[in-house]
Amino acid sequence: MPMALSTRRMATTAVINGERLWSALMAMAEIGRTPAGGVRRLALSDEDRRARDLLVEWLREAGCAVRVDDLGNIYGRRDGDDAGATAVVCGSHLDTVPTGGRFDGVLGVLAALEAVRAMRDADLRTHRPVEVVCWTNEEGVRFAPAMLASGVVCGRFTVDEAYAARDQDGRTFGEELRRIGYLGKPEHRMRSAAAYVELHVEQGPTLEEEGAQVGIVEGVEGISWGWADVTGRAAHAGPTPVGDRRDALVAASRIVLALRALCAELPGVRATVGRCEVVPNAINVIPGAVRLSTDLRARTADLLATASRRLEEVCAAVARDDRVEVRAREFWQSPPTPFHPAVLSAVADAARDLGHTTLRLWAGAGHDAKYVADRHPAGMIFVPSSGGLSHNEAEWTSKDDCVRGASVLLGAVLRLAAA
Ligand SMILES: [Zn+2]
């Protein structure tokens, strides 16, 4: 009886140390710091190695058993009372884009570290083991594609594909992993997880605009990428009467505007044309051909399919009205990934108990949690990004927001590790 009482008492006392979390974030931001105050810490670079070394040191100090797998993913394990139980895993990534910020990825890793530090401070025992994970090469900017290492661990890619990925200087992922000393063992990979929780900055403006402190992320939106190739007829800009023209760029412009209208017509869909290649791209020639990129995003496969169908209808209508040929085809798709209800409710309950205002939203960008969700119950927590800015040296999330996010992470992990 006294044991049970004391366990309950201690279970309520594990609290995030905001000063310690913030100083860890600022210390990590020194590694690869840019003159403008951002961070350049490309995957498997010397800066990445130094960041990893520091994380490993901190994990060991926090009493975690550290292991590294054959993709360089780092795991810090804190045992639970049931040594055979599957772990609750939390983390994110330490790599950045070339002109990245101080919070993208690193917040999720260091908040997970702070959670185990807080458990140690409170001498708190959990039923399940708790693991902190740092995934390799989330950004995909040095070695494509993004989320490469979580993708291998969760069966999206093979390890050989990962090792063969090359940066623009011709160095491979495999060589660089070995060079920085983080080529670990395949048997160290995450094989099972009772749950995976990732705290991340939102990287968009919604939480700030809605005045919510914490985002409960319901899933990652599906994406469809394609080309729309418009073929008209190149002709002289002077002598060709307007009525005789088959101007591929005018037709392509109608497609761009129709896709914007599509977003209003289908709430929840976002459609973007980000690239436009004009042939011959000359001042006195009516454009003969145009290639547009199309980026469609939605929360459900049905909605994404509807958007793709509407895109085809738009292209057919433009082809008819403008007397051009239009060929639209998808070349890559990533289906929507809804997160697990048990993880969502652990996050929601933790935020409610802490008294934070919450908003349910979907992630519009990729995260390691998306691939983890293929295999294990997963979920994410967002905190506001000032001005919605990310992948930018000026990226900013306030200390209070970081602490709130870490506290919700700790609360969710304790709930998930108790059962
Ligand atoms: Zn990230």
Side-chain angles (χ1 to χ4, degrees):
M1 189 63 175
M3 278 292 281
L5 275 174
S6 77
T7 304
R8 256 207 309 278
R9 182 183 59 76
M10 285 190 293
T12 61
T13 55
V15 284
I16 292 297
N17 179 329
E19 292 302 326
R20 184 171 56 191
L21 171 64
W22 189 254
S23 69
L25 282 165
M26 293 306 113
M28 201 54 100
E30 289 300 312
I31 302 177
R33 183 190 167 94
T34 60
V39 179
R40 177 189 170 89
R41 201 164 50 226
L42 301 182
L44 309 184
S45 62
D46 289 342
E47 291 77 21
D48 188 15
R49 177 182 51 74
R50 286 167 53 212
R52 288 160 174 270
D53 290 350
L54 185 56
L55 175 67
V56 167
E57 183 187 322
W58 283 341
L59 285 169
R60 291 210 169 109
E61 281 169 13
C64 292
V66 176
R67 67 181 201 274
V68 178
D69 71 18
D70 55 335
L71 281 309
N73 300 315
I74 300 168
Y75 308 84
R77 181 184 177 93
R78 186 175 190 270
D79 277 333
D81 285 336
D82 182 351
T86 51
V88 172
V89 184
C90 49
S92 192
H93 60 96
L94 287 177
D95 66 319
T96 73
V97 295
T99 50
R102 290 173 281 179
F103 303 93
D104 176 359
V106 60
L107 174 62
V109 175
L110 296 184
L113 167 74
E114 175 53 37
V116 296
R117 283 173 161 175
M119 291 178 211
R120 180 205 51 191
D121 289 353
D123 202 14
L124 182 80
R125 305 289 307 170
T126 52
H127 171 69
R128 294 181 179 280
V130 173
E131 289 190 0
V132 176
V133 63
C134 170
W135 300 108
T136 301
N137 193 57
E138 190 276 344
E139 295 291 359
V141 65
R142 183 173 181 202
F143 299 103
M147 295 120 66
L148 186 55
S150 57
V152 173
V153 168
C154 298
R156 288 267 179 153
F157 315 114
T158 66
V159 67
D160 291 335
E161 284 171 328
Y163 287 168
R166 275 180 199 280
D167 69 8
Q168 57 187 14
D169 299 324
R171 286 171 296 200
T172 67
F173 181 102
E175 290 159 8
E176 287 294 276
L177 186 59
R178 189 182 297 273
R179 183 186 69 80
I180 68 162
Y182 277 86
L183 174 60
K185 298 177 177 165
E187 60 267 31
H188 286 170
R189 288 187 198 176
M190 182 180 80
R191 301 278 174 200
S192 61
Y196 172 78
V197 198
E198 180 168 350
L199 170 66
H200 205 280
V201 290
E202 184 199 343
Q203 307 183 283
T206 306
L207 290 175
E208 196 174 66
E209 283 175 8
E210 301 289 325
Q213 293 168 323
V214 173
I216 301 164
V217 187
E218 296 189 317
V220 179
E221 290 181 335
I223 306 172
S224 163
W225 279 353
W227 298 119
D229 287 303
V230 183
T231 310
R233 186 183 60 198
H236 199 297
T240 315
V242 170
D244 287 350
R245 297 180 181 208
R246 292 166 55 207
D247 186 325
L249 186 55
V250 169
S253 306
R254 293 193 208 283
I255 294 172
V256 174
L257 294 174
L259 284 181
R260 169 56 71 87
L262 190 68
C263 301
E265 179 193 323
L266 296 173
V269 168
R270 269 159 306 113
T272 306
V273 174
R275 272 180 70 174
C276 175
E277 293 161 15
V278 181
V279 177
N281 209 22
I283 192 167
N284 60 350
V285 183
I286 295 163
V290 171
R291 164 168 275 195
L292 299 177
S293 64
T294 55
D295 175 310
L296 304 174
R297 291 172 193 241
R299 294 171 188 188
T300 66
D302 279 357
L303 199 51
L304 201 55
T306 304
S308 295
R309 202 169 52 243
R310 287 288 297 120
L311 168 63
E312 283 171 23
E313 288 167 9
V314 160
C315 290
V318 168
R320 192 179 57 235
D321 296 348
D322 286 49
R323 296 181 301 128
V324 293
E325 263 179 53
V326 185
R327 189 165 163 263
R329 68 180 175 89
E330 179 185 77
F331 64 83
W332 180 77
Q333 190 187 111
S334 170
T337 302
F339 285 140
H340 197 281
V343 180
L344 288 182
S345 37
V347 170
D349 290 350
R352 187 203 55 223
D353 284 3
L354 290 160
H356 300 329
T357 56
T358 58
L359 183 74
R360 288 181 173 259
L361 73 177
W362 281 66
H367 294 286
D368 292 304
K370 178 179 169 72
Y371 288 161
V372 176
D374 286 349
R375 291 274 176 94
H376 314 289
M380 291 188 79
I381 303 161
F382 277 173
V383 286
S385 294
S386 181
L389 206 60
S390 185
H391 284 190
N392 186 305
E393 290 167 284
E395 177 184 276
W396 178 255
T397 294
S398 74
K399 181 177 165 188
D400 285 349
D401 283 328
C402 291
V403 172
R404 274 190 280 269
S407 301
V408 173
L409 178 70
L410 172 62
V413 166
L414 290 180
R415 279 170 172 77
L416 293 162

